[in-house]
Amino acid sequence: MDLEALRVSLLLAAATSACLLIIGLPIGYWLAFTRSRMRAIVEPVVALPLVLPPTVLGFCVLLALGPRSPLGRAIEQATGQALVFTFEGLLVASILYSLPFAVQPFATAFAGVDMRLREAAFCLGASSLGTFFRVILPLSRRGVLAGVILSFAHTLGEFGVVLMVGGNIPGVTRTASIAIYDSVQALDYAAAFRTSAVLVGVSLVILAATSHLLGGLVLPGARRR
């Protein structure tokens, strides 16, 4: 069993879910309450990774961050290194890949907050930011937590995007899913089984903890009775 690959997977999943919490909250809020016509464009773009093959997404990110692209050259000049085949580049790709798994639960939870509570907060003089942190976010904590957990679990099992953008560098971009693939290719089914069993166990623990904290699993669009 490749413990180093498991470490990279857990670190990547934790960093991705933390970044998506910061990035996804404003996007989810905007999607939940905006009346802009841009919503018809932004929403499909956010949801695109749900239907796009991971290898296609990984290839697009690879081209965008590569040294031949204007963005890739600018990043390399600013930081002194390219993002492709690094943990940082892998993190960018993972954020894009898991974006809908965080944003959709966030937006669904925000939209479910009673409009009268928002209006009451505004009438009492609360700002939009104050209303969000004092009213909307506390009432949406179940959906927010569900989005964080889903993005963590989704990132944990990445393969296509990881392989395209990060490659297979031990200790840097080699994740558990890549380690399982390498073990199967080498006909080392015992090692593949051990790593797979650990991932299954971690996934079950995550889902069980989420169910315990929330009083049941809350998935995007679900309503409790």
Side-chain angles (χ1 to χ4, degrees):
M1 182 171 58
D2 194 333
L3 295 178
E4 186 65 23
L6 287 171
R7 183 193 66 82
V8 173
S9 289
L10 291 172
L11 180 60
L12 178 64
T16 299
S17 57
C19 291
L20 284 174
L21 180 62
I22 299 172
I23 298 171
L25 286 178
I27 297 176
Y29 180 88
W30 186 84
L31 289 174
F33 300 118
T34 186
R35 295 181 179 179
S36 172
R37 294 181 179 179
M38 288 297 295
R39 187 180 191 277
I41 299 176
V42 175
E43 191 171 26
V45 171
V46 171
L48 188 60
L50 291 174
V51 296
L52 198 64
T55 49
V56 174
L57 178 61
F59 179 66
C60 293
V61 174
L62 183 63
L63 290 180
L65 299 181
R68 295 185 179 181
S69 73
L71 178 60
R73 285 196 299 270
I75 293 175
E76 188 171 1
Q77 291 174 359
T79 63
Q81 67 174 7
L83 278 183
V84 292
F85 305 119
T86 65
F87 182 84
E88 291 77 12
L90 192 55
L91 178 59
V92 172
S94 298
I95 290 172
L96 294 175
Y97 185 48
S98 296
L99 184 64
F101 290 86
V103 171
Q104 289 189 350
F106 294 170
T108 300
F110 295 157
V113 175
D114 194 333
M115 181 68 69
R116 292 172 295 183
L117 297 176
R118 295 178 58 218
E119 293 174 349
F122 288 137
C123 291
L124 291 173
S127 64
S128 297
L129 191 62
T131 300
F132 175 75
F133 282 108
R134 295 179 182 179
V135 178
I136 297 175
L137 189 59
L139 293 175
S140 306
R141 61 185 181 277
R142 297 169 60 84
V144 171
L145 183 55
V148 172
I149 296 297
L150 285 173
S151 60
F152 182 94
H154 185 246
T155 304
L156 197 61
E158 287 182 15
F159 178 76
V161 171
V162 170
L163 191 61
M164 294 294 291
V165 179
N168 189 1
I169 305 175
V172 180
T173 62
R174 189 170 192 257
T175 62
S177 58
I178 301 296
I180 293 171
Y181 177 78
D182 286 345
S183 296
V184 172
Q185 289 292 98
L187 301 181
D188 188 356
Y189 295 138
F193 176 81
R194 288 193 295 269
T195 307
S196 298
V198 171
L199 286 182
V200 171
V202 171
S203 300
L204 287 175
V205 169
I206 291 172
L207 293 177
T210 305
S211 179
H212 176 72
L213 289 172
L214 303 180
L217 291 177
V218 179
L219 300 180
R223 292 186 177 271
R224 291 181 59 81
R225 296 181 180 180

